[in-house]
Amino acid sequence: MTVYVVGLDGADWSLLRPWIEGGNLPAFARVLDEGIAGDLESTLPPVTFPAWKCYSTGKTPGKLGVYEWYAYDRQTNEISANDASDFRSREYWDVLADRGDRVGVINMPTTHPADARAGGDEIENTRNSSDDGEVFVVAGSPANERKRFTSPESLKSDLLSAVPGYRVKPDLVLDEATADELVAEATTLFEQRFDAATWLAEEKDCDLVHTTLFATDTLQHRLWDQPEALLSAYERIDELLGELLDRENTEAVILMSDHGFREIDEVFLVNQWLIERGDLAIEASETRDLLASVGLTEERLKRLVDTLGLANLAQSIVPESIQRAFPSESGRVAVQNAEIDWTRTKAVSLGRGPIYINYEAFGDDEVGDRYAAELADDLRTAETPVGDPVVTAVHDPAKFYTGERQHAPDLLVEYAPGVDAPESIGGTVLGETTEWLATHRRTGVFAAVGRGIADGDADLDLYDLAPTLLHYLGAPVPEDVDGDVRFDVLVGEPAQRDVERGAPTAVGTGGRGAGREVEETLRELGYME
């Protein structure tokens, strides 16, 4: 028997419940009717990195050492993309493998490279910790099926034989594709994820299989104003979910999302705001200005190499410094690609929430602390052109992040609902538009049905899933998790059994510098200019 966890990236009840109630999603309706469902509160900020690892470890970003797609090294003033090796914790499936279980993990972001352990160690052969237990990983984006993307490495050929044409990422230029093309490509990927999940369950005797449908996030960012297109994608998911529920070997099915979604009302370029205040200093780029003046932009270059089928070759032979030099057609540049003058920079934002104070610019920590407090006050009073607040709150990161908080930001901004705050610079502070029509919100979805699963309603935190799943499966719960075993979602023997505490799953410090493969994927998805 197999427990299936289906991760629906960015799924939101505001979309799903009306469709369920309207009879469009009968399999989803079956889960809600026969099982338990509710909201799932994500981390802050609610972004892919690190939310998926918060789910799989049961820990806040403070214990993981990862807070966003990018990390800031205070010692070197370097900004680099995170990958799987940067996380400082093993995952709940490693605990299951320790006691002899076999687990499959498919397409979950934060699992690239597939052969990297949390903390930067490579896996020599497999991720197994016992003679029988093993974790089979099929990495998610930015992995590439033309390269090594599975652990163990031998899994790749078996998978491609079982699921011919399996792809890690969409085979489209996302910004150029029509709605029909996006949905068609997404449904193909959905089918491959479910096929891979059932194949792992059957052929590798997996006790638990997690599979992530990441394309739901991609579609919702770009097609939020076309609900009929989104519905058609979810209808195919519903059909696949129904088939999964009807399988003889299905013990339980858990549905979850790493965050929710909502429409963008306003774009706030926080780093541009810092520039105009004199808090962030950027060196001029003569190369980028020259390329823009003759019409050589990043988008045009990408369209050309994609048309010629040379994308992978271009990524491998063109130096990263040259790739970064090409300007965006929008005039915006990711702050990670800008030449930051750290001698004059007081603060920088990485992504949609974390702000780092450059204490070296002050020479005195007390002066830096006063500046941070003033900056927080100014953010709290920032308003949109119609007078709405840009920010809901500015938090001390210690309020949300536990543990040592390695690489933690100094301020954690919680933006107002509907405000998207990308890290790019260039353009106006407010009023810019991007290819995204919708952005993330903290409240996602949770639902479950099967043996030992209760019925009714329950709201959970993202951190609760790992300890609850471990306890449900009879495994020890690591003593250093932040989430709780949620007995209200369990019935029968799992609900009556006491929690067995296990050894902590923390590991050493992670490595830095994921490389341009991660950055290229972030550009494709719209996470950076």
Side-chain angles (χ1 to χ4, degrees):
M1 300 294 284
T2 302
V3 174
Y4 293 93
V5 181
V6 180
L8 303 167
D9 201 297
D12 196 285
W13 287 125
S14 69
L15 289 177
L16 294 179
R17 286 197 184 276
W19 293 335
I20 292 170
E21 293 168 0
N24 301 103
L25 304 178
F28 279 93
R30 176 177 164 188
V31 174
L32 269 61
D33 290 343
E34 301 176 7
I36 194 163
D39 292 340
L40 189 66
E41 189 80 350
S42 185
T43 187
L44 186 68
V47 292
T48 300
F49 269 67
W52 282 108
K53 276 291 197 293
C54 292
Y55 143 70
S56 64
T57 63
K59 300 177 184 179
T60 77
K63 289 180 180 175
L64 303 181
V66 175
Y67 307 87
E68 249 279 9
W69 288 99
Y70 280 81
Y72 170 52
D73 189 326
R74 297 179 187 276
Q75 303 300 316
T76 63
N77 283 333
E78 292 182 351
I79 298 173
S80 59
N82 290 303
D83 70 9
S85 66
D86 293 307
F87 291 93
R88 305 180 64 199
S89 177
R90 301 171 76 225
E91 293 159 278
Y92 76 80
W93 36 76
D94 294 312
V95 177
L96 291 173
D98 285 347
R99 66 153 197 177
D101 288 347
R102 297 165 71 83
V103 181
V105 181
I106 302 164
N107 197 52
M108 193 178 88
T110 71
T111 55
H112 169 76
D115 59 347
R117 283 191 188 277
D121 297 328
E122 289 192 352
I123 302 168
E124 294 181 0
N125 295 307
T126 66
R127 297 170 62 101
N128 62 314
S129 300
S130 71
D131 291 339
D132 298 317
E134 187 167 358
V135 180
F136 301 94
V137 178
V138 181
S141 181
N144 189 316
E145 63 273 6
R146 289 176 289 276
K147 300 179 182 178
R148 182 173 180 175
F149 74 105
T150 67
S151 175
E153 187 173 7
S154 60
L155 183 67
K156 175 180 177 179
S157 59
D158 293 343
L159 171 67
L160 293 178
S161 295
V163 189
Y166 183 93
R167 295 198 302 276
V168 176
K169 298 187 291 186
D171 192 18
L172 289 172
V173 180
L174 296 179
D175 294 345
E176 301 291 321
T178 65
D180 288 344
E181 290 171 336
L182 287 170
V183 171
E185 178 74 355
T187 54
T188 296
L189 297 179
F190 298 153
E191 292 162 1
Q192 292 177 351
R193 307 303 180 241
F194 276 90
D195 287 345
T198 54
W199 171 74
L200 279 176
E202 293 177 353
E203 298 301 320
K204 302 300 181 181
D205 296 321
C206 287
D207 302 282
L208 179 141
V209 176
H210 169 99
T211 187
T212 297
L213 309 185
F214 183 70
T216 49
D217 180 276
T218 303
L219 293 177
Q220 290 169 193
H221 276 306
R222 289 167 167 77
L223 303 179
W224 194 258
D225 62 341
Q226 300 182 54
E228 69 287 349
L230 296 177
L231 172 58
S232 66
Y234 273 99
E235 286 176 330
R236 183 56 183 139
I237 295 173
D238 188 81
E239 293 171 350
L240 296 165
L241 175 61
E243 295 172 6
L244 192 65
L245 291 169
D246 289 336
R247 293 181 65 85
E248 290 184 1
N249 78 328
T250 298
E251 181 174 354
V253 173
I254 291 90
L255 305 177
M256 49 81 61
S257 66
D258 55 331
H259 52 73
F261 248 84
R262 66 151 293 156
E263 181 180 5
I264 294 174
D265 297 322
E266 183 63 73
V267 174
F268 175 63
L269 299 186
V270 56
N271 281 316
Q272 188 64 32
W273 180 76
L274 290 171
I275 288 173
E276 295 183 9
R277 287 165 51 90
D279 294 343
L280 174 58
I282 303 295
E283 298 285 356
S285 173
E286 295 181 3
T287 300
R288 187 176 288 116
D289 292 343
L290 176 61
L291 291 171
S293 69
V294 295
L296 294 177
T297 64
E298 177 188 334
E299 289 85 353
R300 289 187 179 182
L301 176 65
K302 180 171 177 54
R303 285 194 289 268
L304 174 62
V305 297
D306 281 342
T307 300
L308 298 176
L310 301 175
N312 291 328
L313 178 62
Q315 291 176 35
S316 63
I317 66 175
V318 178
E320 186 175 355
S321 59
I322 298 299
Q323 294 185 46
R324 289 185 173 192
F326 280 84
S328 167
E329 290 178 358
S330 68
R332 296 186 296 269
V333 177
V335 73
Q336 298 89 344
N337 291 343
E339 294 295 328
I340 299 175
D341 182 350
W342 292 103
T343 65
R344 296 185 292 126
T345 289
K346 300 176 183 177
V348 64
S349 175
L350 295 187
R352 294 160 167 83
I355 290 184
Y356 293 81
I357 306 301
N358 178 25
Y359 278 88
E360 294 296 322
F362 299 96
D364 185 296
D365 286 354
E366 290 187 5
V367 177
D369 288 342
R370 287 197 296 272
Y371 164 77
E374 293 168 358
L375 180 63
D377 288 340
D378 291 344
L379 281 164
R380 293 185 185 101
T381 59
E383 293 183 343
T384 69
V386 297
D388 294 329
V390 169
V391 168
T392 296
V394 181
H395 302 286
D396 177 352
K399 178 180 178 181
F400 288 88
Y401 303 150
T402 56
E404 296 179 5
R405 302 195 299 278
Q406 187 187 44
H407 303 298
D410 300 291
L411 299 175
L412 181 56
V413 182
E414 183 177 359
Y415 289 100
V419 173
D420 189 38
E423 83 300 321
S424 55
I425 60 175
T428 59
V429 172
L430 291 158
E432 289 286 315
T433 60
T434 71
E435 67 268 29
W436 283 7
L437 302 175
T439 191
H440 303 173
R441 69 181 186 121
R442 287 190 70 194
T443 304
V445 307
F446 163 77
V449 66
R451 181 196 63 81
I453 303 295
D455 57 15
D457 302 313
D459 297 334
L460 282 69
D461 286 338
L462 190 64
Y463 312 117
D464 296 334
L465 292 176
T468 301
L469 282 165
L470 285 170
H471 178 74
Y472 169 74
L473 292 165
V477 176
E479 62 184 27
D480 59 345
V481 298
D482 291 305
D484 298 317
V485 174
R486 293 295 301 269
F487 286 96
D488 53 338
V489 307
L490 306 174
V491 294
E493 190 272 337
Q496 299 167 5
R497 182 180 359 104
D498 291 335
V499 175
E500 177 188 355
R501 291 297 173 183
T505 47
V507 297
T509 58
R512 289 259 74 86
R516 63 189 173 203
E517 190 173 31
V518 174
E519 294 195 2
E520 176 63 24
T521 295
L522 294 181
R523 289 190 187 93
E524 291 173 354
L525 295 174
Y527 280 95
M528 62 180 286
E529 296 293 340

